[in-house]
């Protein structure tokens, strides 16, 4: 691709192609916005993994054809994510098809065991998240929510507005 000496070629190709690909990803993020690598949806998670994989492929390309194919694939990923975000924003039906619903694991100090079973969250993991959130007494917990990203949110205090739990699902 660059020179005939194998060692110099490998070093040069790895450095130049990685730099060009990184600049391309930065440009795509600038065009697509900060949401490009957020963890808001399962689409975002897949996007992050796919970009990493394509970036690795790009930096290891052995021909200009495969390099540009990877760059086009990266741009396509960003386009698909942009379109899916717009579609989810404009259609509740699309949102429900593309996105899991957050599940309440604990409500008003009580563990919802059917929800733990359905979501495959161990009770020990739930208690670990309560400790992480500095919960001193489970009676102070208003809700624990398994979010669409896989994160667990712990809401504790004296009250919890019902609008905070909007869109969540109670299993059981």
């Amino acid at each position: 691709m660059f020179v005939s000496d194998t060692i110099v070629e490998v070093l040069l190709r790895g450095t130049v192609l990685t730099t060009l690909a990184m600049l391309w990803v930065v440009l795509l993020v600038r065009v697509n916005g900060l949401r490009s690598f957020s963890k808001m949806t399962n689409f975002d998670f897949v996007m992050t993994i796919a970009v990493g994989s394509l970036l690795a492929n790009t930096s290891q390309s052995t021909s200009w054809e495969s390099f540009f194919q990877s760059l086009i694939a990266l741009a396509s990923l960003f386009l698909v994510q942009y379109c899916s975000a717009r579609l989810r924003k404009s259609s509740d039906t699309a949102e429900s098809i593309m996105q899991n619903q957050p599940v309440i694991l604990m409500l008003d100090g009580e563990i919802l065991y059917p929800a733990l079973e359905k979501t495959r969250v161990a009770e020990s993991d739930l208690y670990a998240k309560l400790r992480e959130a500095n919960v001193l007494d489970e009676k102070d917990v208003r809700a624990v929510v398994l979010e669409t990203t896989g994160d667990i949110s712990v809401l504790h205090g004296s009250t919890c507005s019902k609008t905070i739990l909007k869109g969540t699902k109670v299993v059981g």
Side-chain angles (χ1 to χ4, degrees):
M1 284 179 77
F2 294 105
V3 295
S4 58
D5 184 296
T6 305
I7 294 173
V8 174
E9 169 68 16
V10 168
L11 292 171
L12 196 56
R13 187 175 59 212
T15 304
V16 171
L17 296 182
T18 300
T19 301
L20 290 173
M22 287 293 291
L23 291 172
W24 180 242
V25 169
V26 168
L27 175 68
L28 291 171
V29 170
R30 295 284 296 165
V31 168
N32 200 41
L34 292 175
R35 196 174 181 295
S36 299
F37 292 118
S38 72
K39 292 189 342 175
M40 289 195 228
T41 68
N42 45 12
F43 246 75
D44 299 333
F45 174 72
V46 171
M47 167 80 174
T48 302
I49 301 283
V51 166
S53 177
L54 280 169
L55 191 56
N57 282 349
T58 304
S59 65
Q60 296 174 357
S61 295
T62 55
S63 69
W64 287 111
E65 182 181 87
S66 65
F67 176 72
F68 286 116
Q69 184 178 3
S70 293
L71 292 184
I72 291 166
L74 281 164
S76 297
L77 272 177
F78 280 86
L79 180 63
V80 167
Q81 186 197 37
Y82 174 82
C83 291
S84 69
R86 298 284 299 206
L87 184 61
R88 279 190 3 265
K89 188 176 177 183
S90 66
S91 166
D92 291 338
T93 304
E95 171 95 28
S96 66
I97 290 170
M98 297 169 82
Q99 186 62 30
N100 295 324
Q101 193 173 11
V103 176
I104 296 178
L105 303 176
M106 190 171 177
L107 191 61
D108 292 325
E110 298 295 323
I111 296 174
L112 305 178
Y113 289 99
L116 288 183
E117 187 175 322
K118 181 171 175 44
T119 59
R120 297 179 309 281
V121 173
E123 189 175 352
S124 59
D125 292 334
L126 176 66
Y127 281 118
K129 287 298 180 180
L130 294 175
R131 289 189 299 272
E132 249 179 50
N134 297 317
V135 172
L136 301 175
D137 188 341
E138 60 270 3
K139 302 281 187 259
D140 294 334
V141 175
R142 299 294 55 100
V144 175
V145 181
L146 178 60
E147 303 291 355
T148 59
T149 60
D151 292 330
I152 293 179
S153 299
V154 178
L155 308 171
H156 55 93
S158 57
T159 62
C160 178
S161 165
K162 295 298 179 195
T163 57
I164 296 294
L165 299 177
K166 183 179 178 184
T168 60
K169 177 169 63 172
V170 176
V171 175

